[in-house]
Amino acid sequence: MSSLTESEQLEVARANESEARPVVFIHGLWLLSSSWQKWRELFEDNGYVTLAPGWPDDPDSVEAARKDPEVFAKKMVKQVTEHYLEAISALTQQPVVIGHSFGGLIAQKIAGEGAASSTVSIDNAPFQGVLTLPRSSLKSAFPVLRNPANVNRAVALTFEEFTFGWANNLDEAEARELYETYHVPASGVPLFQAATANLNPFAETKVDTKADARGPLLLISGEKDNTVPPAIVHASYELQSKNPGVTELVTIPGRGHSLTIDSGWREVADEALAFVLKYSPPLSE
């Protein structure tokens, strides 16, 4: 039985009916796929067709997510990756894959499977082999990791926790607007998976950085990100740069973890779009 929802299947069908190259967007923890809407419009204006599947069992709206938070619980990295791979396998054209945070990690896992024509990973969660663990990253993850029982729960952030982890570079008004518009509870287990990855040879956060079919990869880092500080993205780049494919790194000055959804989203999206246009141009051209 397919894990794709009816709406996700319709998005796949729409992409297959189009002559454009598909772009698959992958969100991370504490967001829904609707957080990519502005990005989708930008890429479609530039000749692509887009789809943004959710994680398995994601609600349709932020309001619904807040009413039933436990629907997010126990979603593990492997299950989520397989969900996106199912959507990608149903496409008739190999897609561009763009992900943020844990979505960035999953995007790199998908690239390692040879399933992406090119990949953009934004402030990616650390994968197995990334050893650096900055203090701010630990503090950002503490609302989940402080209680081992959270491995089986969905966890919401308080506004103060969201401000530290996501909106530390924004004024309070914008931070609160983002929190009220986008924030939803998130599965606790992926953070435990990332935290223990280097102690587990079978970790689900393992990425095949050496795959010949990985394709071009851009890693984007926000300079002021507390959740995924530049040191984590730079360490990811060092591992990925050993791949024979193109590997590039861009650090966006002054930006925090909210860089895909805040008022400066376009600066980040333009970096991603320029890379994609270069290495995976629209099929109509």
Side-chain angles (χ1 to χ4, degrees), residues 11 14-25 38-51 91 93-98 117-120 269-285:
E11 286 204 350
R14 172 178 175 265
N16 287 340
E17 291 168 1
S18 170
E19 296 182 357
R21 187 187 300 277
V23 179
V24 175
F25 289 98
K38 294 177 182 178
W39 286 65
R40 294 184 66 175
E41 292 169 1
L42 174 65
F43 274 76
E44 298 216 352
D45 286 345
N46 281 273
Y48 297 92
V49 61
T50 68
L51 54 160
L91 295 170
Q93 301 284 349
Q94 191 177 53
V96 174
V97 177
I98 299 177
S117 64
S118 62
T119 304
V120 179
D270 282 343
E271 290 281 0
L273 179 61
F275 182 85
V276 171
L277 285 169
K278 182 176 181 180
Y279 293 106
S280 298
L283 293 172
S284 58
E285 294 186 357

Side-chain angles (χ1 to χ4, degrees), residues 54-72:
W55 287 28
D57 301 319
D58 270 4
D60 292 331
S61 68
V62 171
E63 181 182 19
R66 292 172 179 168
K67 288 181 178 178
D68 186 17
E70 287 308 309
V71 72
F72 296 102

